[in-house]
Amino acid sequence: MNINKRHINATCRNVFRKMLALGAVCCTSLCLMAQNSTSSPFSIFGIGEIESRDFGVSTGMGNATIGLRSRNLLNHRNPAGLGGIDTLKFIFDFSGSVKFSDFTTSALHERATNFNFKNLAVGFRVTRRWTVSVGLSPYTNVGYSISKPELIEGSLDRFNVIYTGDGGVNRFYWSNSMELFKGLTAGVSASYYFGTVTHTETAPSIVISETMTANKINLDFGMQYSHLFQQHTRVTVGGVYSYKSDFKLYRSQMIANQSSGYILKEEKIPDKKMFLPESYGAGFSVWRNKNNAEWLFSADCYRQNWSVNNERLRGIVYTNSRMYNAGVQFTPNTKRPSGYMEIIRYQIGACYNESYMAINGRQMKDYSVSVGVGLPFFRGLSYVNVAAVIGQSATGYRGGIKENYALLSVNLSLIESWFKKAKYD
Amino acid sequence: MYFIPIRHKTDIRRSVACAGAFLAFCWLTSCDRNSSLGNYLVESHTRTVKVDTFGVEMSVLAKDSIVTSNKGVIFVGEYDDPETGKSRAEGFVEFTRTSDYENNEYPRFDSVTLVLNPTGNYYGDTLAYPDIRIWRLNNPIEMDDDGMRYSTSTASRGNELSIQRRFKMKGPSQKEVEIRLPDVFGEELFDGIIKNRENMNTDNYLKTFPGLAITPASGNSCIYAYSITDSTCQIRIHYRISESGDLTDKVMTFKANPAKQFNHLETTLLPDLPVGSKTDPVPTSKTHNKGFILSGGSPLYTRLDFPRLDYLQTLGEIVVIENARLIVRPVHHSYETVPLPPELNLYEHNPVNDERGSALTQLTAGSTQPTTMTGNLNNAGKNKNNHEECYYDFTITDFIASQIGVSEYGKVALSIDIPTSEVSNAFRRLVFGDRNFFYKTEVQSKENQIMLEITYSIYNEY
């Protein structure tokens, strides 16, 4: 009896600690989201810079996620991929990244450092066939501060107008995966897009501030089929689809006197009407575990028809984007390791991305390679996934902006056995 | 399931801590800064324009009188100013009795002198020597009911003392001048003091010697200022006493009483300078397109109206005044014989009731208390050969912004003048052109005209 009480108290304390830690991480991540630090001139366009990576476990594998399924993986891109989560597991996923950019044009050379919260999600299996995941991630980021000298008419003097932007659209999603038949899962993800983007123009005497607020619910769909061959090789194929839908941004404008702070004008202005693009993608993965060594190869492609949006900004227009990702993961020994190094997951990958932006008729293209490691801890159940990505974004247009970047992604994947029944009452 | 050995757990914790610290460092150092990158992506919704051709309407006014008592200075002289007219200045001073004389039975008067100390301020032709007349006042100086005396005030002077002295003084000299006064005056004063020394209270003293009036002799062509303090203006009676058969030189000193001094100032304006009163300002179109500021004499000042500011409202949906400068430039060569005021003030002038209000103020950096806005003569302007840089500069952004879109009853004019505290302390003069003033060429004319330079930003809906 005493043993039972002690056991229950210990279990309660343990759960309480975990909840407390989880709450602390959630609060921290929300604070980090509020303190989002982006510095990219392209984020002035549209609703901000759209993040193409999902910054989960697979960042080191070139973000090839659509065909990926694993017991420990919260698949942010394909809801059907949640079907692989272990029955007893509760997965908590948190990601952040720091990006060092080096922008060059024919006349300028500047560096920027971006620090961004990328993802916060939890997932678990509700029934034998139904798995859910709830998460929060930035959909777009806006962050720029551009100084442009303007001539004072009637004189030779100049003054600087400062253009700044901040905020972004966030995505809160509820993803569901349902196993239809053995190996075949279908997924649907309901996303709520929300957030505020602010563009401010600060002239010496006038400050013009435009605020756009997003408020939209949308659905994404996914399928995956997985088959195990000879107990050591699993092949998974998957696909995702999102339909085109209206995306309205409610806008307001405020004009104030810079020196006195007096508001000269404050009004609602016509809404910005955009579309979330029709998107589709397909991918596959091959998992093989033989002689205790585990190999995982994954590749996918993904397309978004952004050209349905007619917005244009000084030569920048939306265009259809395409992304090709591929990567390999290797774990030396998953069953009888002789040391810690043998249970680390080693990743390498590459990504080619034709961006949603075209500048002066040329599509921005992004090439990157990535390496990563998954460091297990807490009895090998949880992982810290660290990935480094080196890449380049450019239009190929001579004299246009070219961005060389190095990105460091850190993903914390906490996996707990919350639903394990006690051996005795 | 693989269990991590204890030693590795510590390493992992350290690794996680290091990764967290690294990310925190990156976050803290990823600060925003202005960049020129991407400036082709942005275009301003505002236009900023600088215009220096805004109309300023000027009219010249004269003050009825100014307080001249207790200023520590008297003006003496005449000057026929070709710009404004003839000015004449007379000074009246009371002297206090001192007790620094020897109580000796046989004092013998020797001589009497008046000591004056020029302040260096002048108005007119400094090549001419001062030629003054000194009068004994008939009665002690009496202040008006308000305790002050004005430029229109005078005092009765007798004709029993009438001396005229010319002394050498050139330019803005500050060298002490000692003028010999008639012995008759000195003996009378000395005897009166000595004989009545037992009953010499203040009233008796003032009856014996009420003070002096110092006036210009005819033909003066300059007005000079003299400092009136107990040490700078004195009457000295030199006498001798006999001590053991020896004669010893002594000095009896009468010190000026700064509290009992004033100036009588008058200006006969030129016939073609129809300066108005505050209720009847005369536009500068009738004063040869010139505005005037004159201290001393018949003080002149100039009212400034800005009638076309509302035009700015029509330029855009929102118009914000970024900066407004009022630049006042003296007419070339107008300040060679008369010094320019070192500083000017702007005063609000309500055109409805013609009341001159308070001086414009401004907030200076680091202070929460507004201070009087002062337009200082540009340092470079002190070099008379550098006329282009000779001007007074006021930043009147808030005032101009407050006048846009205001109803007629809310309109406020400005008057520009020498600071009130300085207006009767020295003779200064500023002659400046209005927007139509012409000086030899178009370009040179601009260097002699008042200018309102406004920088404004316009926002138009996009």
Side-chain angles (χ1 to χ4, degrees):
Chain A
M1 195 67 181
N2 285 339
I3 294 170
N4 257 350
K5 274 186 181 175
R6 275 203 302 275
H7 173 74
I8 290 166
N9 286 341
T11 306
C12 286
R13 276 201 301 274
N14 204 18
V15 169
F16 178 73
R17 279 180 197 151
K18 286 169 183 170
M19 294 298 288
L20 203 64
L22 193 64
V25 174
C26 288
C27 289
T28 307
S29 55
L30 289 172
C31 290
L32 287 174
M33 195 166 71
Q35 297 294 325
N36 212 354
S37 161
T38 297
S39 181
S40 169
F42 297 117
S43 65
I44 195 174
F45 179 58
I47 52 175
E49 196 169 54
I50 298 164
E51 187 54 75
S52 56
R53 295 181 177 85
D54 60 13
F55 290 94
V57 174
S58 62
T59 307
M61 295 172 65
N63 276 290
T65 321
I66 293 174
L68 213 55
R69 169 190 287 216
S70 160
R71 287 184 307 170
N72 303 327
L73 174 70
L74 284 185
N75 195 322
H76 305 306
R77 181 159 292 168
N78 187 351
L82 296 170
I85 293 178
D86 200 320
T87 315
L88 303 174
K89 297 291 188 293
F90 180 93
I91 303 178
F92 172 82
D93 216 36
F94 171 75
S95 304
S97 77
V98 58
K99 184 180 181 186
F100 305 96
S101 297
D102 191 301
F103 294 96
T104 51
T105 66
S106 55
L108 287 167
H109 177 216
E110 288 192 5
R111 292 199 168 102
T113 306
N114 303 335
F115 181 90
N116 291 108
F117 154 78
K118 290 299 180 186
N119 194 41
L120 172 72
V122 293
F124 55 90
R125 186 177 284 274
V126 180
T127 66
R128 192 173 65 81
R129 292 174 179 273
W130 180 29
T131 313
V132 298
S133 170
V134 177
L136 178 68
S137 63
Y139 183 64
T140 71
N141 284 315
V142 177
Y144 62 89
S145 182
I146 299 171
S147 171
K148 186 177 185 183
E150 299 282 353
L151 190 69
I152 297 177
E153 294 175 33
S155 79
L156 297 175
D157 299 334
R158 285 180 181 272
F159 63 94
N160 279 334
V161 178
I162 309 296
Y163 302 85
T164 54
D166 56 65
V169 178
N170 304 300
R171 177 174 165 246
F172 176 77
Y173 57 89
W174 173 36
S175 297
N176 300 270
S177 165
M178 186 66 75
E179 186 175 9
L180 303 177
F181 306 104
K182 184 175 171 57
L184 178 66
T185 51
V188 60
S189 181
S191 300
Y192 171 57
Y193 295 89
F194 68 98
T196 303
V197 172
T198 304
H199 298 284
T200 305
E201 174 186 336
T202 306
S205 49
I206 296 180
V207 180
I208 304 164
S209 179
E210 182 191 315
T211 303
M212 296 190 292
T213 306
N215 197 355
K216 164 77 180 170
I217 293 176
N218 196 45
L219 296 177
D220 305 301
F221 305 96
M223 291 287 283
Q224 262 190 0
Y225 179 73
S226 184
H227 188 77
L228 187 64
F229 297 94
Q230 299 171 357
Q231 298 300 312
H232 56 71
T233 303
R234 177 181 290 278
V235 176
T236 306
V237 294
V240 292
Y241 176 77
S242 302
Y243 56 91
K244 171 187 163 188
S245 62
D246 295 339
F247 189 60
K248 196 185 282 183
L249 292 141
Y250 303 94
R251 296 196 301 171
S252 63
Q253 187 189 49
M254 187 180 76
I255 302 171
N257 187 319
Q258 158 82 334
S259 53
S260 68
Y262 180 72
I263 295 173
L264 304 167
K265 185 180 180 185
E266 191 170 20
E267 62 173 6
K268 288 191 178 298
I269 55 176
D271 299 335
K272 184 178 192 139
K273 289 175 182 169
M274 292 185 65
F275 295 100
L276 289 177
E278 182 184 32
S279 312
Y280 42 88
F284 73 97
S285 66
V286 179
W287 172 86
R288 183 180 169 84
N289 191 335
K290 202 168 183 183
N291 301 327
N292 296 333
E294 184 183 277
W295 287 89
L296 177 65
F297 173 77
S298 180
D300 64 27
C301 60
Y302 187 61
R303 181 184 168 96
Q304 288 183 296
N305 294 333
W306 280 103
S307 62
V308 291
N309 292 296
N310 295 321
E311 187 172 352
R312 171 180 286 272
L313 176 75
R314 322 269 181 260
I316 303 183
V317 293
Y318 278 108
T319 187
N320 296 336
S321 69
R322 282 180 294 182
M323 190 161 63
Y324 303 94
N325 308 306
V328 180
Q329 177 180 287
F330 170 66
T331 311
N333 196 328
T334 56
K335 289 184 179 164
R336 296 207 176 2
S338 58
Y340 181 69
M341 301 302 283
E342 291 192 353
I343 57 168
I344 292 176
R345 301 192 299 213
Y346 299 93
Q347 299 175 328
I348 188 166
C351 176
Y352 169 66
N353 181 10
E354 291 176 355
S355 163
Y356 61 92
M357 278 190 301
I359 303 172
N360 296 325
R362 286 173 176 264
Q363 192 165 20
M364 180 80 90
K365 289 169 183 168
D366 183 294
Y367 308 84
S368 64
V369 292
S370 56
V371 291
V373 288
L375 305 169
F377 68 104
F378 192 59
R379 299 183 179 179
L381 288 172
S382 301
Y383 281 85
V384 174
N385 299 290
V386 181
V389 183
I390 295 173
Q392 184 185 81
S393 287
T395 58
Y397 170 69
R398 192 176 177 85
I401 295 180
K402 185 168 75 177
E403 179 188 8
N404 293 315
Y405 61 86
L407 187 147
L408 185 70
S409 163
V410 177
N411 167 262
L412 182 66
S413 192
L414 294 170
I415 303 161
E416 266 288 348
S417 300
W418 277 16
F419 307 106
K420 192 183 284 184
K421 286 182 181 175
K423 286 182 180 175
Y424 50 86
D425 295 326
Chain B
M1 189 67 61
Y2 177 71
F3 289 86
I4 304 165
I6 295 297
R7 64 177 187 278
H8 289 138
K9 279 185 180 175
T10 309
D11 292 343
I12 292 160
R13 281 179 192 150
R14 284 177 184 165
S15 302
V16 171
C18 288
F22 174 73
L23 290 176
F25 171 77
C26 293
W27 173 56
L28 290 172
T29 54
S30 59
C31 54
D32 289 337
R33 60 188 168 85
N34 297 335
S35 162
S36 299
L37 198 72
N39 61 9
Y40 70 92
L41 299 172
V42 290
E43 189 173 0
S44 180
H45 298 104
T46 63
R47 281 172 58 223
T48 300
V49 184
K50 183 188 277 188
V51 174
D52 61 5
T53 53
F54 265 91
V56 182
E57 290 186 356
M58 300 185 350
S59 44
V60 183
L61 302 96
K63 291 174 195 160
D64 298 334
S65 62
I66 55 172
V67 175
T68 60
S69 59
N70 202 15
K71 296 293 180 183
V73 65
I74 58 167
F75 302 104
V76 182
E78 280 182 345
Y79 178 54
D80 200 354
D81 189 336
E83 293 285 353
T84 57
K86 188 170 185 176
S87 289
R88 177 182 168 82
E90 299 174 347
F92 299 83
V93 188
E94 180 186 288
F95 291 86
T96 54
R97 179 175 58 100
T98 59
S99 57
D100 57 346
Y101 60 88
E102 296 288 335
N103 191 2
N104 191 285
E105 291 185 12
Y106 304 106
R108 290 175 57 190
F109 172 80
D110 180 65
S111 62
V112 59
T113 60
L114 171 66
V115 175
L116 291 173
N117 276 275
T119 65
N121 176 238
Y122 64 94
Y123 176 45
D125 179 9
T126 54
L127 294 175
Y129 293 140
D131 199 355
I132 62 172
R133 301 181 73 183
I134 302 170
W135 307 70
R136 181 182 180 279
L137 294 178
N138 282 340
N139 300 304
I141 294 172
E142 293 293 335
M143 292 295 170
D144 293 350
D145 293 342
D146 57 3
M148 291 182 278
R149 303 232 78 188
Y150 295 86
S151 54
T152 51
S153 305
T154 186
S156 169
R157 54 182 186 250
N159 52 9
E160 59 270 26
L161 171 64
S162 181
I163 56 172
Q164 182 171 340
R165 287 289 182 271
R166 169 178 283 196
F167 53 92
K168 287 187 176 180
M169 191 170 79
K170 189 176 178 183
S173 167
Q174 293 177 283
K175 192 176 176 184
E176 182 179 284
V177 177
E178 189 163 12
I179 304 164
R180 176 85 182 259
L181 299 179
D183 289 348
V184 178
F185 163 71
E187 282 177 13
E188 184 185 357
L189 177 57
F190 186 68
D191 290 346
I193 297 292
I194 297 300
K195 285 176 183 173
N196 299 312
R197 61 188 172 206
E198 301 299 330
N199 302 314
M200 189 55 73
N201 58 22
T202 304
D203 288 342
N204 287 339
Y205 164 72
L206 289 176
K207 282 177 186 170
T208 305
F209 179 46
L212 292 180
I214 307 172
T215 67
S218 60
N220 270 238
S221 56
C222 188
I223 296 173
Y224 288 101
Y226 303 96
S227 172
I228 303 297
T229 67
D230 57 4
S231 62
T232 56
C233 180
Q234 295 177 345
I235 291 173
R236 294 172 186 163
I237 293 179
H238 301 268
Y239 65 99
R240 290 174 177 169
I241 57 172
S242 175
E243 289 178 335
S244 307
D246 297 329
L247 290 175
T248 306
D249 290 337
K250 295 289 181 185
V251 177
M252 185 189 298
T253 304
F254 297 81
K255 295 178 178 177
N257 180 3
K260 288 288 183 72
Q261 63 71 213
F262 71 95
N263 287 291
H264 174 75
L265 307 166
E266 58 188 42
T267 298
T268 306
L269 295 173
L270 291 172
D272 58 349
L273 188 64
V275 172
S277 65
K278 71 176 185 182
T279 54
D280 185 23
V282 172
T284 47
S285 58
K286 295 181 179 176
T287 60
H288 310 289
N289 295 113
K290 291 176 188 172
F292 296 93
I293 294 170
L294 177 66
S295 66
S298 178
L300 304 178
Y301 65 104
T302 302
R303 183 177 131 176
L304 311 173
D305 288 84
F306 309 97
R308 283 177 281 281
L309 289 178
D310 285 347
Y311 167 72
L312 287 167
Q313 278 188 309
T314 66
L315 296 175
E317 187 184 346
I318 292 173
V319 179
V320 175
I321 304 297
E322 186 189 316
N323 189 44
R325 283 173 75 204
L326 182 70
I327 298 166
V328 180
R329 298 176 186 278
V331 170
H332 208 168
H333 300 303
S334 69
Y335 46 93
E336 287 172 353
T337 55
V338 186
L340 289 167
E343 59 185 37
L344 298 175
N345 283 165
L346 290 172
Y347 299 86
E348 288 189 355
H349 187 106
N350 190 331
V352 176
N353 58 15
D354 277 308
E355 287 298 324
R356 176 160 147 173
S358 54
L360 287 193
T361 57
Q362 64 186 2
L363 278 174
T364 51
S367 170
T368 54
Q369 292 297 320
T371 55
T372 301
M373 184 187 296
T374 303
N376 293 306
L377 182 63
N378 192 350
N379 282 336
K382 290 172 182 171
N383 177 359
K384 292 177 181 175
N385 296 322
N386 191 7
H387 176 71
E388 292 79 9
E389 296 299 321
C390 181
Y391 57 85
Y392 301 85
D393 190 349
F394 298 89
T395 301
I396 54 171
T397 310
D398 291 343
F399 173 79
I400 293 295
S402 72
Q403 292 298 297
I404 296 175
V406 176
S407 69
E408 279 304 309
Y409 287 99
K411 294 279 186 199
V412 176
L414 293 178
S415 56
I416 184 167
D417 198 359
I418 290 169
T420 306
S421 60
E422 303 292 324
V423 77
S424 55
N425 287 4
F427 265 90
R428 310 279 187 189
R429 191 195 65 191
L430 170 66
V431 183
F432 55 105
D434 66 13
R435 298 296 300 169
N436 297 316
F437 180 77
F438 187 78
Y439 187 89
K440 293 182 181 175
T441 67
E442 195 69 35
V443 174
Q444 285 180 308
S445 293
K446 283 192 172 180
E447 293 168 2
N448 295 268
Q449 294 176 352
I450 194 168
M451 187 166 74
L452 177 62
E453 181 187 277
I454 298 181
T455 306
Y456 56 91
S457 292
I458 307 168
Y459 166 82
N460 279 311
E461 197 166 358
Y462 54 101

